[in-house]
Amino acid sequence: MAYHERSVCDLNQYHVSTEVRSEIFSSESKTQSSERAVDLGLAEDHFSRPVGSVVASDVEQLKQAIAECKRLILELPEHSGKQKDTVIKLIHLRLKLQELKDPEEDEPNLQVLLEHRFSKEKSKSVKQMCDKCSTIIWGLIQTWYTCTGCYYRCHSKCMNLINKPCVRSKVSHQSEYELSICPEVGLDKQDYRCAECRTPISLRGVPNEARQCDYTGQYYCSSCHWNDTAIIPARVIHNWAFEPRKVCRTSMRYLALMMSRPVLKLKEINPLLFNFVEELVEIRKLRQDILLMKPYFITCKEAMEARLLLHLQDRQHFVENDEMYSLQDLIDSSSGRLSCSLTEIHTTFAKHIKLDCEKCQAKGFMCELCKEGDILFPFDSHTSVCHDCFAVFHRDCYYDNSTTCPRCARMLERQHEDSQNP
């Protein structure tokens, strides 16, 4: 590591010593190699120029030096110490060439472009790929940016070439999935061009390989489609299939940002799913119970101080309705994590209402039909609730609304008496 840092420092100081040059280009024909080094201009301190005055000859000489290093690597004995040193020098020369092509400038820390909010990155060691030019970002010598919204990464030199708007803006304005499974239209409908950048493509790979995105069904070039994989919402909803499929870069970012958004109303999209997936039936019942518990918590001082509802802060839609699901909910349902998590939360909530809090216990019900048993709550598994007045009865007593509700009868009688005695 120390040797690497010392070598990089030597390059940054634009100084190549005579001793190091002779080591790089030493071979069986030492005299001939030395002459080549002089011819390449390595014997001169031609890098010692003011910042910003890099000329074309510097780049050309470095290219010649790189070519010479490549030749020497092939000629030197394999796995020898000299070959390894030459490989290291080749890496340093390439870094220097990249630095001259992309000189470091005083870049702003934040830039806004096509609704992207680009923030300058400070990491120098993490290896990243530029989403624009599809080449490696050398954080050690290159300035690069990441969009804080969609995590689009690029070199500073590629900023002005970006033509893709931020995916987060699409998520904000159009939060919905494509619910058809791989809706392919064919390359001819795309005029044999990439659906995003319009680069000519074909299935034969000439001039560029056509790669299909399983989410949009369209074809893309290798710059817009890196063979990333993602779980496809349409395949989950219609087939309960969670195998990741290949998607383009834009679809990958869109699906990642949409992952936790509750935009799937399964009752309307595919109601039969509840007949075949037992986990969803269990989760729906737990969600319905939690909604019945919510009124107890929002009127209980102790529950508000304990912030019990924050147990569901990652899934706030669970305390708002029992119909909407996110793709992450369905993934966790398939793995069993969601059922276990909700069961634990359900137990915690029920314990507060039925055991820990006297005020919540006082809001329970007695079965007015049998007038026996313990205090009942609407989320108990053995109870039934009147849909008109929300009174709670034993399920065996109420027979699922086939029996007249005593509370509703009293309310009707009272209204009748009030109408006769204004």
Side-chain angles (χ1 to χ4, degrees):
M1 184 65 185
Y3 176 81
H4 176 72
E5 293 177 354
R6 185 171 64 253
S7 300
V8 174
C9 181
D10 292 342
L11 286 170
N12 290 338
Q13 293 173 355
Y14 305 132
H15 179 71
V16 181
S17 66
T18 304
E19 180 182 353
V20 174
R21 288 196 304 275
S22 62
E23 181 182 350
I24 297 176
F25 299 104
S26 62
S27 63
E28 296 177 359
S29 178
K30 185 173 182 181
T31 305
Q32 184 178 1
S33 299
S34 300
E35 292 176 354
R36 287 196 187 97
V38 174
D39 293 339
L40 294 174
L42 294 178
E44 300 177 12
D45 190 15
H46 58 277
F47 293 123
S48 298
R49 295 188 177 92
V51 176
S53 63
V54 176
V55 294
S57 61
D58 296 340
V59 175
E60 291 301 322
Q61 290 170 359
L62 275 175
K63 287 182 178 179
Q64 293 177 29
I66 289 172
E68 182 69 14
C69 274
K70 289 180 179 179
R71 189 192 64 77
L72 288 176
I73 290 172
L74 295 176
E75 291 180 357
L76 290 170
E78 197 166 352
H79 304 302
S80 65
K82 291 183 178 180
Q83 188 189 52
K84 292 179 181 179
D85 291 341
T86 308
V87 170
I88 293 175
K89 297 299 180 182
L90 174 62
I91 294 173
H92 293 164
L93 287 171
R94 282 179 168 172
L95 287 173
K96 173 54 63 180
L97 178 63
Q98 186 64 42
E99 183 179 359
L100 293 181
K101 288 183 176 180
D102 183 28
E104 185 175 353
E105 299 176 359
D106 187 15
E107 301 281 356
N109 292 326
L110 184 66
Q111 295 194 48
V112 180
L113 179 66
L114 295 176
E115 299 189 20
H116 291 283
R117 292 183 60 84
F118 285 108
S119 176
K120 183 192 287 187
E121 293 291 347
K122 298 181 180 179
S123 174
K124 301 296 184 181
S125 58
V126 180
K127 181 181 177 181
Q128 303 286 357
M129 298 291 290
C130 176
D131 282 301
K132 178 57 186 176
C133 64
S134 304
T135 59
I136 297 177
I137 298 174
W138 297 98
L140 186 65
I141 60 174
Q142 292 177 316
T143 304
W144 58 291
Y145 288 82
T146 299
C147 175
T148 57
C150 66
Y151 307 107
Y152 187 98
R153 294 184 293 267
C154 69
H155 298 101
S156 60
K157 66 179 181 180
C158 296
M159 292 281 288
N160 295 329
L161 304 176
I162 295 173
N163 52 16
K164 302 176 184 177
C166 183
V167 177
R168 183 172 287 277
S169 63
K170 180 181 177 182
V171 173
S172 302
H173 299 106
Q174 187 183 359
S175 295
E176 59 184 15
Y177 286 117
E178 170 59 61
L179 296 179
S180 298
I181 297 177
C182 195
E184 181 180 358
V185 294
L187 266 175
D188 56 334
K189 296 292 184 181
Q190 296 181 205
D191 195 24
Y192 293 91
R193 293 181 179 274
C194 173
E196 193 163 287
C197 69
R198 307 305 296 167
T199 299
I201 55 175
S202 72
L203 293 176
R204 293 183 178 180
V206 180
N208 291 289
E209 178 188 2
R211 298 179 179 179
Q212 187 179 33
C213 173
D214 196 81
Y215 176 69
T216 64
Q218 295 180 310
Y219 290 88
Y220 300 81
C221 66
S222 57
S223 295
C224 299
H225 192 316
W226 295 5
N227 287 329
D228 298 299
T229 58
I231 296 175
I232 309 301
R235 294 185 181 275
V236 172
I237 295 171
H238 297 297
N239 299 340
W240 201 241
F242 294 87
E243 180 184 358
R245 303 281 180 147
K246 291 182 179 180
V247 295
C248 66
R249 296 290 291 174
T250 300
S251 295
M252 182 197 69
R253 292 193 185 89
Y254 182 77
L255 292 173
L257 292 173
M258 287 284 290
M259 182 69 71
S260 59
R261 287 182 172 254
V263 297
L264 298 172
K265 197 171 186 178
L266 297 183
K267 186 178 180 180
E268 294 182 358
I269 302 172
N270 184 11
L272 294 178
L273 196 59
F274 291 93
N275 296 338
F276 297 95
V277 183
E278 295 181 359
E279 296 93 332
L280 287 179
V281 177
E282 181 183 359
I283 289 169
R284 181 174 61 181
K285 179 62 171 67
L286 290 170
R287 291 184 63 176
Q288 290 172 347
D289 289 349
I290 288 173
L291 288 176
L292 293 172
M293 295 176 183
K294 180 181 175 181
Y296 290 85
F297 295 145
I298 60 179
T299 58
C300 175
K301 183 178 179 180
E302 294 182 8
M304 295 298 288
E305 290 177 350
R307 298 187 177 183
L308 290 178
L309 290 176
L310 286 181
H311 283 83
L312 291 168
Q313 61 180 341
D314 294 332
R315 306 181 200 265
Q316 295 186 14
H317 52 288
F318 279 17
V319 295
E320 296 173 356
N321 59 74
D322 63 345
E323 296 181 338
M324 305 303 293
Y325 292 82
S326 68
L327 183 58
Q328 188 64 57
D329 294 338
L330 302 183
I331 294 173
D332 292 342
S333 298
S334 175
S335 65
R337 290 195 297 269
L338 182 57
S339 178
C340 293
S341 174
L342 277 185
T343 300
E344 184 177 341
I345 293 173
H346 184 282
T347 302
T348 301
F349 286 1
K351 181 175 179 292
H352 171 85
I353 295 172
K354 302 176 72 172
L355 299 176
D356 298 342
C357 180
E358 294 182 357
K359 293 181 180 178
C360 291
Q361 292 178 36
K363 297 175 184 177
F365 294 82
M366 291 292 296
C367 179
E368 295 187 38
L369 296 175
C370 68
K371 295 183 174 53
E372 296 178 357
D374 298 330
I375 299 175
L376 304 179
F377 294 91
F379 51 85
D380 288 333
S381 59
H382 59 285
T383 61
S384 291
V385 180
C386 174
H387 295 292
D388 295 323
C389 68
F390 303 107
V392 181
F393 307 92
H394 290 116
R395 180 172 296 173
D396 295 337
C397 298
Y398 195 57
Y399 297 112
D400 295 330
N401 297 339
S402 61
T403 306
T404 302
C405 172
R407 188 178 182 185
C408 288
R410 287 198 307 273
M411 293 172 66
L412 286 174
E413 183 179 355
R414 190 176 304 155
Q415 290 176 2
H416 181 69
E417 290 176 357
D418 292 342
S419 63
Q420 289 183 345
N421 301 313

